[in-house]
Amino acid sequence: MAVGKSARRSRSPFSAHPLRPWINFRRKNRTAFIALVICVFFFYSCRRSAISTNIPSQHQSIPLCPQNPVAKDVLVTLRTGATEILEKLPIHFDTTLRCIPNYAIYSDYEEEVEGHHIYDVFDELSEDLKESVSDFELYHRLKTKGRDGLSINGTDHGGSGPSGLLGSPGWKLDKYKFLPMIDKALRHRSQAKWFVFIELDTYLMWGNLLDYLSKFDAEIPYYIGKQMYIGEVLFAHGGSGFALSAAAMRKVTEHWRAHMAEYNQYTIESWAGDMVLGKALKDALVPLLWAFPHFQGDPVSTLDHNITKIDRQPWCYPAITYHHMPEDEIRSLWEFEQEWQRTHPGDVPLRHSNVFKGYIHPYLGKERKEWDNYSVNPEFSEGALKGGDAHASFEACRLACESNVRCLQFSYRTSRCSVSSEVRLGRRATLQCLEYSTAASKCDKTDERTKDLGEGGLSAVSSGWMVERLAKYVSAMDQGCNDRMGWIT
Ligand SMILES: *[C@@H]1O[C@H](CO)[C@@H](O)[C@H](O)[C@H]1NC(C)=O
Ligand SMILES: *[C@@H]1O[C@H](CO)[C@@H](O)[C@H](O)[C@H]1NC(C)=O
Ligand SMILES: *[C@H]1O[C@H](CO)[C@@H](O)[C@H](O)[C@H]1NC(C)=O
C-alpha cells in the first residue's frame, strides 16, 4: 500500500479551524488580493461555525459520508454518564454521528438528550450488586431524584464521568458498565457484524474505520484496539476506542452470562472497566489485536507524531481514533475530514501524516501568542538551555532554540523559556503547562504565577516553531515510511 501521500498544503485551509488563522509570512509574494480573499473566507467560515453550534443537525448542510457498504453492519456504542453527557454529547450530533447510521448511547441514567434516547446500562444488572455496593450511590440518587440527584447540598459532585477524576462518583460507576454494555449492544443490533465502542472524548474517523474493518471476517472473533496492561491483564484501552466482531461479542456475552457472579466480584476489586472486559475476553479465548497507532490515546493537538511504540510511529499509519478531544478540536478535526473528503474523493485511508500536513503544519508559525505547545521534554530543554540567557525574552528563547540543531519548537512566558525537539500543535492558553501527563493526555501542573497577567505584569505564554526545520522534519518523517506500513491486520 502506498504511503506518505501528502496533503496538498497549497489548498486553502479547511474551514473554521479553531485556531485563529495564522498568516504565513514566508510567502511574501502573495498578493494583497489573495490575502483579502482569505480574510473574507475566514470571516465567513468562523461565522458559519459560530452559527452552526446553535442550529439543530437537520438544518445543516448534508455531510459527505463515506460510501462503504460495511457502514450498515456496524453499531457504534458511546459509553457515558449523567455527569458529563449534557456537556460532551451534543458536539457528536453535529459532527461524528452524522455519518453513522447505527449507534446507541449507554449511560448510568436514562433520559432524552436533544431528542435522542439514552439507555440505562444498569437496568438489568443484579439488584443485589446495585444494593450492596456503595459505588452505586450516584445511580440510586439519579433514579430517585433525576438530574437533581447529581448535586449534594447544592454542589455538583459529579466530576466528569468515565474520563473524570479517579474517585469521582461518575468514575466509580464506570467500570460496571462494560460487560452489560456489550450484552445490550449485541441485542440492540443482533444482525450487526461489528461493534465499536467509544467515549464522548473519543474522535472516530468513520471512513477509515470502515476501510479497516472491511479487511477482516466478522465471523472470526476479533478484539481490536490500543493495547494496554494493568498488571498482567492485557486489554484495549477504552478511551482510545475498540472494535469487536460479532463472533467475539457472542463469545464474551455467553461467557459472562455463565460466570456473572465471578465477574461482578472481579469488577468490584478492579479499578477500570476496560480492563475487566479485557479479562473476560481473554477468559473467553478472544485474543487482542494490537492496533496502535490506528487506535491511539492522544488528542490531535498533543500527539507527538514521531513517538515510537511497539516499533511503530503514528506518522506512516492510517488514523482511526484520538482521545481526550475537547469539543473545539472535535469540531475542527471533523471539518478537516470533511474538507479532505471533498478534495480527495475515494482516497482512503487518511494517515496520521496527512493530518499533520493538512491540519497541524499550516498552523505552526514563528510566533503564536497565548498558545502553549504542550510539549514537555524537560531533559532536552534543560540541556539545550544551559548557560545561555534564553529566559530573558521571547526573542532570546527563539535564538536559543535556533542554536540547537535538534530544537523544533519553544515556548516562552515571562522569564521562563522552554524548548523541545518534538513537534506538537498545542492549544490556546495563557499559562504554561509545566508537567504533562502522557497517560492522561493532560496538563498536570501549570505555572502558578497567575497573578499579574496583563500590562506590565507577566505575559501570557507564547509558542514558536523553527519553521524552516519543520519542512525537513516532514520529509525525514516521510522517508521513515515504507510499503508495509498500511493497515495492521
Ligand atoms: C448535606 O447536608 C446535610 C444537612 O445539612 C448534612 O447532614 C450532610 O452531611 C451534607 N452532605 C454532604 C455530602 O455535604
Ligand atoms: C524522531 O525521534 C527520534 C528519536 O527520538 C529522533 O532520533 C529523530 O531525529 C526524530 N525524527 C525527526 C524527523 O525529528
Ligand atoms: C512547550 O511548552 C511547555 C510548557 O510551556 C514547555 O515545558 C515545553 O518545553 C515547550 N516545548 C517547546 C518545544 O517549546
Side-chain angles (χ1 to χ4, degrees):
M1 201 171 279
V3 289
K5 221 178 268 175
S6 80
R8 265 171 285 165
R9 287 198 49 216
S10 56
R11 267 182 203 284
S12 66
F14 42 91
S15 57
H17 200 293
L19 327 177
R20 308 282 306 279
W22 167 76
I23 295 161
N24 189 334
F25 287 113
R26 279 174 300 168
R27 308 210 177 134
K28 290 200 182 89
N29 53 352
R30 286 227 161 127
T31 63
F33 175 72
I34 291 174
L36 181 69
V37 169
I38 291 173
C39 290
V40 169
F41 172 80
F42 275 108
F43 174 71
Y44 272 97
S45 47
C46 292
R47 265 189 56 203
R48 206 175 55 206
S49 83
I51 291 167
S52 68
T53 47
N54 300 321
I55 298 177
S57 5
Q58 57 269 30
H59 297 291
Q60 293 175 340
S61 61
I62 296 162
L64 274 176
C65 295
Q67 299 302 307
N68 188 323
V70 178
K72 64 178 185 325
D73 298 325
V74 181
L75 178 72
V76 173
T77 292
L78 295 93
R79 192 186 84 265
T80 179
T83 57
E84 64 167 18
I85 193 168
L86 297 183
E87 179 197 343
K88 295 184 180 172
L89 181 59
I91 182 68
H92 293 278
F93 295 134
D94 275 359
T95 58
T96 49
L97 290 176
R98 293 175 67 198
C99 286
I100 300 180
N102 304 296
Y103 59 85
I105 304 160
Y106 294 107
S107 175
D108 43 25
Y109 179 56
E110 182 173 4
E111 61 187 324
E112 303 285 320
V113 174
E114 297 194 354
H116 300 263
H117 190 73
I118 313 299
Y119 296 95
D120 172 1
V121 74
F122 296 130
D123 61 352
E124 298 168 301
L125 196 65
S126 131
E127 292 300 327
D128 270 1
L129 179 71
K130 289 188 283 193
E131 291 304 327
S132 62
V133 179
S134 65
D135 293 342
F136 282 89
E137 262 168 32
L138 173 65
Y139 178 70
H140 297 307
R141 282 208 311 273
L142 286 163
K143 265 233 130 72
T144 51
K145 295 186 177 169
R147 288 210 146 261
D148 290 344
L150 278 180
S151 56
I152 305 172
N153 294 354
T155 40
D156 195 339
H157 283 245
S160 55
S163 43
L165 298 171
L166 295 181
S168 75
W171 166 264
K172 283 186 194 161
L173 270 177
D174 189 59
K175 62 181 177 179
Y176 299 94
K177 291 175 191 162
F178 284 74
L179 285 162
M181 167 181 77
I182 299 287
D183 181 54
K184 279 176 177 292
L186 183 57
R187 283 180 288 136
H188 185 88
R189 200 162 170 83
S190 53
Q191 73 272 37
K193 294 183 178 157
W194 290 98
F195 296 81
V196 175
F197 299 88
I198 58 172
E199 299 178 7
L200 297 192
D201 61 352
T202 312
Y203 187 90
L204 185 62
M205 290 200 159
W206 177 238
N208 272 4
L209 173 78
L210 297 175
D211 195 44
Y212 188 42
L213 294 182
S214 65
K215 311 285 179 231
F216 299 92
D217 175 359
E219 285 311 302
I220 294 172
Y222 279 111
Y223 173 32
I224 307 174
K226 190 212 155 208
Q227 67 286 342
M228 186 165 184
Y229 276 101
I230 295 181
E232 303 270 277
V233 184
L234 172 67
F235 60 97
H237 176 233
S240 304
F242 56 92
L244 287 166
S245 65
M249 293 287 286
R250 288 192 296 265
K251 275 191 114 166
V252 73
T253 39
E254 275 163 31
H255 183 81
W256 176 59
R257 288 176 164 275
H259 301 88
M260 211 173 273
E262 289 154 54
Y263 284 108
N264 286 346
Q265 189 54 37
Y266 184 74
T267 309
I268 293 170
E269 291 161 10
S270 306
W271 64 270
D274 41 7
M275 170 206 165
V276 172
L277 175 62
K279 171 78 163 59
L281 280 153
K282 178 171 183 267
D283 295 345
L285 306 178
V286 180
L288 174 69
L289 175 66
W290 297 29
F292 177 88
H294 304 322
F295 295 81
Q296 58 83 41
D298 283 305
V300 67
S301 58
T302 68
L303 176 64
D304 171 11
H305 285 70
N306 185 25
I307 192 128
T308 301
K309 283 183 188 160
I310 53 169
D311 267 341
R312 301 171 192 157
Q313 282 179 330
W315 191 269
C316 311
Y317 292 89
I320 292 180
T321 59
Y322 293 90
H323 185 214
H324 296 294
M325 291 284 286
E327 182 180 317
D328 59 341
E329 288 174 27
I330 291 177
R331 185 180 301 283
S332 64
L333 193 56
W334 159 263
E335 282 166 358
F336 168 72
E337 246 197 303
Q338 285 288 303
E339 180 65 12
W340 174 270
Q341 297 210 43
R342 249 186 294 282
T343 53
H344 300 70
D347 187 3
V348 282
L350 177 55
R351 288 168 201 281
H352 283 290
S353 54
N354 301 129
V355 175
F356 185 91
K357 291 170 191 175
Y359 178 91
I360 295 176
H361 196 179
Y363 294 89
L364 306 182
K366 286 191 171 150
E367 178 171 2
R368 294 196 60 139
K369 291 204 158 79
E370 296 193 21
W371 197 264
D372 193 356
N373 59 69
Y374 261 75
S375 64
V376 194
N377 60 349
E379 303 81 27
F380 175 79
S381 194
E382 277 160 33
L385 297 180
K386 209 173 282 168
D389 65 345
H391 302 292
S393 65
F394 181 85
E395 194 49 28
C397 185
R398 191 184 64 73
L399 286 172
C401 185
E402 204 167 75
S403 67
N404 184 307
V405 288
R406 287 180 54 220
C407 186
L408 293 171
Q409 60 176 46
F410 61 96
S411 71
Y412 182 80
R413 182 174 177 231
T414 313
S415 66
R416 185 178 287 148
C417 167
S418 89
V419 296
S420 177
S421 57
E422 297 160 358
V423 185
R424 285 180 173 86
L425 173 58
R427 290 182 178 151
R428 178 158 305 285
T430 46
L431 304 180
Q432 253 176 331
C433 173
L434 298 182
E435 272 173 35
Y436 182 75
S437 155
T438 27
S441 296
K442 64 173 203 254
C443 187
D444 273 349
K445 188 174 154 207
T446 41
D447 184 351
E448 301 283 317
R449 302 172 303 159
T450 60
K451 296 282 183 286
D452 309 313
L453 271 178
E455 245 172 279
L458 293 166
S459 63
V461 60
S462 296
S463 294
W465 287 265
M466 297 288 109
V467 290
E468 293 80 13
R469 289 177 193 165
L470 289 179
K472 291 198 190 102
Y473 171 88
V474 168
S475 58
M477 293 297 291
D478 276 342
Q479 277 163 20
C481 300
N482 66 49
D483 291 349
R484 283 178 291 108
M485 298 171 179
W487 287 121
I488 295 153
T489 53

